[in-house]
């Protein structure tokens, strides 16, 4: 029990560190947000208007006081109000968060559906043409940036082949079919890097399992190859795949930032980009903190699962 409480405490401390770093880094960015908001129409605002807006937004208060107020609000699950229109940030994040989570879930599922069968098949056919081609493609997919992958996917499937729209969003309740079609391309762009990792780990795991004694014994008994692969090779080879997949799952959240922008998917990342462009500090910090909290929570769940399944981890 102490180990679990310790992991939870570490996660909470890490979230506080992230909150502090984000707050301080945002306020160290050059430029006055009040002046930027007033000069949105291209006019140069007068100092009195800037001072009044800074007072209304609380920017004239000491940074320590703003920081303490921010922490107190977060402890009440209050993400603050936007500097642009004064609207609460929480409801907007609640509306956009499921869309980002949907992208991450679809990308994770695609990476497993593509990576595991490809890696297992490559391991079973070591040295074949399929093995060499899959390794080459996995290396290419692992090295290509996510925004480049998204651009290539749009170019091929939307511009050249005209199979699907270039981007956009339709709510599932309005048109389920079109929603799923628009979901495929951005989720595939995010999944490419993780799928390449899964391919390589699955191939290596299969090659490690094949020479083991219980596999040779199963072959000596005359068991069918399919049964040997499914019951003996695949079952034991999946453990390292699941481990690496879980450790890299949080990185999918980072891939959504550019992919949502490229595919015009209205998730958290689009809100983050708009907030950064308008110097809406509360919205920027709120989005970053929500994404960080999901990442930290995911890693906490992985740690707890490891602790339950393998008691040696708790030591």
């Amino acid at each position: 029990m102490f180990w679990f409480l310790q992991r939870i405490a570490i996660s909470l401390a890490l979230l506080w560190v992230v909150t502090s770093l984000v707050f301080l880094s945002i306020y160290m960015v050059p430029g006055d947000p009040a002046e930027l908001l007033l000069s949105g129409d291209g006019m140069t605002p007068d100092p009195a208007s800037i001072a009044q807006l800074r007072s209304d937004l609380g920017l004239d208060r000491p940074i320590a006081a703003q920081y303490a107020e921010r922490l107190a609000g977060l402890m009440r699950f209050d993400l603050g109000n936007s500097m642009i229109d004064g609207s609460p940030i929480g409801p907007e994040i609640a509306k956009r968060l499921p869309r980002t989570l949907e992208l991450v879930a679809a990308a994770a599922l695609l990476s497993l559906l593509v990576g595991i069968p490809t890696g297992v098949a490559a391991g079973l056919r070591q040295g074949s043409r399929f093995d060499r081609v899959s390794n080459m493609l996995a290396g290419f997919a692992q090295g290509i940036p996510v925004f480049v992958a998204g651009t290539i996917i749009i170019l091929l499937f939307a511009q050249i082949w005209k199979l699907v729209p270039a981007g956009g969003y339709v709510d599932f309740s309005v048109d389920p079919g079109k929603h799923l079609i628009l979901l495929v391309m951005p989720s595939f762009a995010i999944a490419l890097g993780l799928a390449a990792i899964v391919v390589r780990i699955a191939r290596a795991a299969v090659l490690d399992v094949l020479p083991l004694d219980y596999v040779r014994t199963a072959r000596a008994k005359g068991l069918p190859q399919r049964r040997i692969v499914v019951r003996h090779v695949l079952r034991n080879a999946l453990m390292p795949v699941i481990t690496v997949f879980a450790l890299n799952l949080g990185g999918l959240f980072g891939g959504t930032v550019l992919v949502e922008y490229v595919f015009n998917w209205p998730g958290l990342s689009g809100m983050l980009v708009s907030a950064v462009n308008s110097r809406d500090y509360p919205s920027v910090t709120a989005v970053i903190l929500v994404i960080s909290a999901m990442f930290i929570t995911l890693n906490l769940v992985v740690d707890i699962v490891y602790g339950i399944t393998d008691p040696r981890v708790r030591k």
Side-chain angles (χ1 to χ4, degrees):
M1 180 60 68
F2 174 75
W3 182 84
F4 298 115
L5 296 177
Q6 184 184 42
R7 300 306 301 174
I8 294 174
I10 292 175
S11 299
L12 292 176
L14 183 59
L15 185 59
W16 171 73
V17 170
V18 171
T19 304
S20 304
L21 291 177
V22 169
F23 180 88
L24 295 176
S25 61
I26 290 292
Y27 278 84
M28 290 175 63
V29 175
D32 189 342
E35 182 178 355
L36 182 65
L37 291 174
L38 291 175
S39 60
D41 54 358
M43 303 295 292
T44 301
D46 59 279
S49 300
I50 296 175
Q52 181 62 42
L53 183 58
R54 286 181 57 84
S55 176
D56 294 340
L57 297 176
L59 298 176
D60 57 342
R61 301 169 58 196
I63 294 181
Q66 297 182 48
Y67 175 70
E69 182 180 0
R70 187 64 172 164
L71 286 182
L74 291 176
M75 293 180 66
R76 300 191 304 268
F77 297 99
D78 181 10
L79 297 176
N81 298 323
S82 171
M83 281 186 178
I84 306 301
D85 54 9
S87 61
I89 301 172
E92 183 66 18
I93 289 182
K95 181 177 70 175
R96 290 174 173 264
L97 178 59
R99 302 169 184 169
T100 298
L101 292 177
E102 184 181 18
L103 268 184
V104 171
L109 181 61
L110 280 175
S111 64
L112 291 177
L113 293 178
V114 173
I116 291 179
T118 305
V120 171
L124 294 174
R125 304 174 186 176
Q126 183 184 14
S128 65
R129 180 180 298 178
F130 178 84
D131 183 27
R132 294 193 299 268
V133 172
S134 61
N135 269 305
M136 181 185 65
L137 293 177
F140 175 76
Q142 193 172 353
I144 188 172
V146 65
F147 67 93
V148 175
T151 304
I152 294 175
I153 290 173
I154 291 177
L155 178 63
L156 293 177
F157 292 93
Q159 301 297 328
I160 297 178
W161 297 331
K162 301 185 184 301
L163 297 176
V164 291
Y169 178 82
V170 175
D171 194 83
F172 185 83
S173 60
V174 176
D175 191 341
K178 190 171 184 180
H179 175 85
L180 295 177
I181 290 175
L182 293 173
L183 175 66
V184 170
M185 288 202 303
S187 58
F188 187 72
I190 299 173
L192 272 178
L194 183 55
I197 295 175
V198 172
V199 168
R200 293 190 163 186
I201 298 300
R203 177 184 180 275
V206 168
L207 292 178
D208 287 340
V209 171
L210 284 176
L212 297 181
D213 293 338
Y214 58 85
V215 177
R216 292 202 301 264
T217 302
R219 286 175 177 166
K221 290 181 178 180
L223 295 179
Q225 178 69 10
R226 184 189 181 109
R227 186 176 179 183
I228 294 175
V229 171
V230 173
R231 296 195 58 181
H232 299 281
V233 176
L234 187 58
R235 179 181 296 180
N236 293 279
L238 282 181
M239 292 304 298
V241 174
I242 294 174
T243 301
V244 174
F245 172 79
L247 293 176
N248 287 274
L249 189 58
L252 296 180
F253 288 102
T256 62
V257 176
L258 293 174
V259 167
E260 287 186 0
Y261 178 77
V262 170
F263 289 93
N264 195 24
W265 186 271
L268 281 182
S269 301
M271 181 180 177
L272 177 62
V273 172
S274 300
V276 170
N277 290 334
S278 59
R279 297 288 179 89
D280 189 356
Y281 292 162
S283 296
V284 173
T285 55
V287 174
I288 294 177
L289 288 179
V290 169
I291 295 176
S292 302
M294 290 189 298
F295 184 85
I296 293 171
T297 302
L298 181 62
N299 282 275
L300 174 63
V301 172
V302 172
D303 285 345
I304 292 177
V305 171
Y306 284 168
I308 295 175
T309 56
D310 189 353
R312 295 174 299 177
V313 176
R314 299 197 294 267
K315 300 179 181 180

